[in-house]
């Protein structure tokens, strides 16, 4: 029966990292692989009470289908919450999606034809890469610098792609504490990216799950909030997964006018509507508690973990000019670069022997590079285990460096 697969499904692959991460589920392994939010950040008691309340109060409503656009109450609350952040949108510019992964899927359904070029960071979020691949886009990677995408290279790639006759469509960017690198894009670059997008008539898909998880430094305005063109060029995704509970499967997609209309049209055949129950739970949580106090608590948790990881890296990693790591002011991830001679995928079985795990860098590179890098998430691991895990990882790196220099001298 396999001959009946669509071209799309037969061309799609299971995520290599999810397969690798299955190997890390053994309890003795300290895994920095999973990019999930820390479960201690979930307000579970409050949510349990709210679930009971909203169902008992109005079961005919919350257990029913809802509108494709999403709950008006939730959208109104969120439009009020977004306004002080410079995102001045009414409820008609907010679409509730089944978390931001569906938002990415809808952006592709509404705007991407096979062969359309999407520029994305090297490295970039794997789930977005999977969506862009499924919709047969042409993904063109652009190297990241410490302050975000290298825009000179973006301009160069735009020229090359145009010269080759490829249709240019969008830039995908995770401006704050990017997954997987933890890098944020500077204000100057956000403004320049907008100028480039206007000049070249590109859409910007701004995916921002981590901006609210800033535990140090000053917030940088979102690209959407800087866009004064009024053309709806920037579409932004804001998920509840990292700020409330990932299991609610809720996000907002911010878009304007005709763009929104197209997104609603492609969402309808996808799922008719996002779960009304979880939308009502999120809305009630915001009404009862607000998001800000909760966010302040979450940020403290991640800050302690980030500190523990950076301190452990400084303490244990071999001193070698080819080894560096990012030190993000927020989010869940840190990106480690090793000397070019090391390959984190080839090292992975030894990492499991050392009872430590990470995500291999190449998983996040649309051009297959990134072999000497790895993503570490501090989110799910206790500070004690972060220390021990980084010690194990550093031992592994030391051994690998030793075996490379031995085989180098023997050659
Ligand atoms: C950059 C980015 N976008 C989107 C998602 C998907 O999140 P969700 O579907 O839970 O909103 C993630 C999850 O880790 C992410 O890191």
């Amino acid at each position: 029966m396999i001959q009946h697969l669509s071209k799309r499904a037969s061309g799609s692959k299971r995520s290599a990292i999810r397969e690798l991460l299955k190997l890390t589920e053994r309890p003795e392994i300290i895994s920095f692989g999973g990019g999930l939010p820390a479960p201690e950040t979930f307000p579970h008691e409050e949510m349990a009470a709210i679930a009971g309340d909203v169902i008992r109060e109005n079961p005919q409503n919350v257990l029913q289908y809802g509108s494709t656009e999403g709950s008006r109450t939730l959208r109104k609350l969120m439009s009020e919450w977004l306004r002080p952040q410079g995102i001045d949108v009414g409820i008609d510019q907010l679409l509730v999606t089944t978390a931001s992964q569906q938002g990415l899927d809808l952006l592709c359904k509404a705007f991407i034809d096979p062969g359309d070029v999407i520029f994305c960071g090297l490295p970039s979020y794997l789930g977005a890469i999977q969506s862009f691949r499924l919709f047969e886009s042409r993904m063109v990677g652009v190297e990241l610098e410490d302050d975000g995408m290298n825009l000179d290279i973006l301009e160069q790639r735009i020229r090359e792609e145009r010269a080759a006759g490829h249709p240019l469509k969008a830039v995908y960017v995770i401006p704050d504490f990017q997954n997987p690198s933890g890098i944020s894009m500077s204000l100057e670059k956000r403004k320049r990216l907008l100028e480039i997008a206007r000049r070249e008539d590109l859409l910007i898909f701004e995916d921002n799950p981590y901006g609210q998880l800033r535990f140090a430094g000053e917030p940088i305005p979102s690209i959407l909030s800087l866009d004064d063109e009024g053309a709806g060029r920037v579409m932004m995704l804001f998920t509840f997964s990292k700020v409330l509970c990932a299991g609610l499967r809720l996000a907002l997609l911010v878009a304007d006018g005709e763009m929104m209309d197209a997104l609603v049209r492609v969402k309808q055949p996808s799922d008719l509507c996002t779960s009304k129950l979880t939308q009502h739970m999120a809305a009630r949580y915001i009404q009862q508690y607000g998001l800000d106090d909760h966010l302040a608590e979450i940020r403290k948790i991640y800050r302690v973990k980030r500190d523990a990881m950076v301190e452990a890296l400084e303490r244990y990693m071999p001193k070698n000019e080819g080894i560096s790591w990012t030190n993000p002011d927020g989010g869940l991830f840190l990106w480690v670069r090793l000397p070019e001679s090391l390959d984190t995928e080839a090292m992975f079985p030894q990492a499991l022997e050392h009872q430590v795990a990470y995500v291999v860098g190449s998983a996040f590179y649309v051009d297959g590079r990134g072999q000497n890098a790895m993503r570490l998430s501090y989110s799910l691991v206790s500070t004690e285990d972060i220390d021990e895990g980084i010690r194990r990882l550093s031992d592994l790196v030391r051994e690998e460096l030793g075996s490379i220099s031995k085989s180098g001298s023997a050659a």
Side-chain angles (χ1 to χ4, degrees):
M1 286 302 118
I2 199 72
Q3 70 274 20
H4 295 298
L5 277 191
S6 69
K7 282 201 194 102
R8 214 165 242 171
S10 39
S12 68
K13 292 192 215 129
R14 272 175 189 256
S15 148
I17 74 160
R18 292 194 217 293
E19 296 305 306
L20 281 183
L21 288 175
K22 282 189 197 156
L23 302 173
T24 70
E25 281 162 12
R26 299 200 317 252
E28 67 277 16
I29 292 181
I30 297 179
S31 177
F32 300 126
L36 320 179
E40 63 267 33
T41 64
F42 302 149
H44 53 93
E45 288 298 340
E46 292 85 340
M47 279 299 172
I50 283 173
D53 289 349
V54 295
I55 293 174
R56 270 189 293 271
E57 284 167 23
N58 203 347
Q60 294 83 347
N61 183 25
V62 304
L63 299 179
Q64 189 52 282
Y65 289 110
S67 73
T68 304
E69 288 83 350
S71 143
R72 293 183 70 83
T73 314
L74 180 62
R75 287 184 292 150
K76 183 155 187 307
L77 287 164
M78 289 308 290
S79 87
E80 284 158 11
W81 188 74
L82 288 168
R83 199 160 299 131
Q85 301 170 39
I87 302 175
D88 194 2
V89 288
I91 66 169
D92 293 338
Q93 288 144 289
L94 295 176
L95 173 67
V96 178
T97 61
T98 306
S100 50
Q101 194 60 40
Q102 186 192 43
L104 291 166
D105 181 74
L106 299 181
L107 287 169
C108 289
K109 281 194 176 126
F111 302 109
I112 303 300
D113 286 317
D116 280 357
V117 174
I118 306 180
F119 297 96
C120 52
L122 287 174
S124 226
Y125 167 56
L126 186 69
I129 296 176
Q130 282 182 300
S131 275
F132 299 159
R133 188 167 288 141
L134 190 65
F135 286 90
E136 299 168 65
S137 71
R138 180 177 160 78
M139 286 176 281
V140 176
V142 181
E143 285 77 358
L144 295 189
E145 301 175 291
D146 291 345
D147 60 349
M149 197 177 260
N150 183 327
L151 297 180
D152 293 335
I153 295 189
L154 173 66
E155 294 198 291
Q156 183 192 324
R157 302 258 148 87
I158 289 174
R159 284 193 295 276
E160 290 163 2
E161 292 299 310
R162 263 204 205 294
H166 298 141
L168 308 190
K169 187 54 71 73
V171 184
Y172 171 66
V173 56
I174 308 155
D176 292 311
F177 318 120
Q178 197 239 23
N179 180 2
S181 67
I183 288 174
S184 295
M185 186 181 254
S186 65
L187 179 59
E188 295 68 34
K189 282 198 171 173
R190 292 175 197 220
K191 290 181 181 163
R192 189 171 152 211
L193 177 63
L194 269 173
E195 282 165 22
I196 297 172
R198 276 176 206 175
R199 193 184 67 221
E200 304 289 345
D201 194 18
L202 293 167
L203 299 174
I204 297 181
F205 299 158
E206 178 177 22
D207 188 4
N208 202 339
Y210 305 106
Q212 296 298 329
L213 303 186
R214 175 179 285 281
F215 41 68
E218 288 303 310
I220 309 174
S222 63
I223 303 172
L224 178 71
S225 70
L226 297 169
D227 179 26
D228 53 10
E229 191 188 14
R233 185 177 300 290
V234 185
M235 283 167 275
M236 190 183 99
L237 280 164
F238 170 83
T239 179
F240 288 89
S241 291
K242 311 291 159 41
V243 302
L244 200 53
C245 304
L248 292 173
R249 306 311 294 136
L250 285 181
L252 292 168
L253 176 44
V254 188
D256 247 356
E258 290 176 345
M259 315 301 264
M260 177 57 92
D261 196 48
L263 288 162
V264 173
R265 292 200 307 267
V266 297
K267 181 171 159 68
Q268 245 152 29
S270 278
D271 65 355
L272 303 178
C273 65
T274 292
S275 158
K276 211 172 184 190
L277 174 60
T278 64
Q279 292 184 67
H280 278 270
M281 287 170 63
R284 180 63 63 85
Y285 184 90
I286 296 166
Q287 281 166 334
Q288 263 179 245
Y289 303 100
L291 284 177
D292 295 334
D293 290 350
H294 180 59
L295 278 168
E297 290 307 310
I298 296 180
R299 292 184 193 118
K300 280 190 220 152
I301 293 174
Y302 289 128
R303 183 186 191 125
V304 169
K305 293 186 184 229
R306 187 277 321 251
D307 286 349
M309 189 169 269
V310 170
E311 280 162 23
L313 284 163
E314 283 165 0
R315 189 171 320 128
Y316 299 121
M317 267 289 165
K319 306 289 172 258
N320 177 306
E321 60 183 28
I323 302 179
S324 63
W325 50 86
T326 53
N327 187 354
D329 283 340
L332 312 183
F333 309 109
L334 204 143
W335 184 246
V336 178
R337 288 191 196 84
L338 299 177
E340 297 276 340
S341 52
L342 296 192
D343 179 335
T344 54
E345 192 164 346
M347 276 161 57
F348 199 76
Q350 284 85 314
L352 295 184
E353 272 174 32
H354 281 72
Q355 301 184 338
V356 64
Y358 51 78
V359 185
V360 301
S362 54
F364 306 100
Y365 271 67
V366 295
D367 63 0
R369 290 188 291 142
Q371 292 87 344
N372 61 323
M374 61 174 78
R375 187 191 78 179
L376 301 182
S377 169
Y378 39 81
S379 162
L380 293 180
V381 190
S382 68
T383 50
E384 295 74 29
D385 279 356
I386 288 176
D387 191 80
E388 173 58 18
I390 295 293
R391 194 189 60 71
R392 294 178 190 175
L393 188 64
S394 305
D395 284 349
L396 168 67
V397 171
R398 197 169 289 106
E399 280 173 28
E400 293 288 318
L401 286 171
S403 67
I404 296 266
S405 68
K406 264 191 223 139
S407 63
S409 58

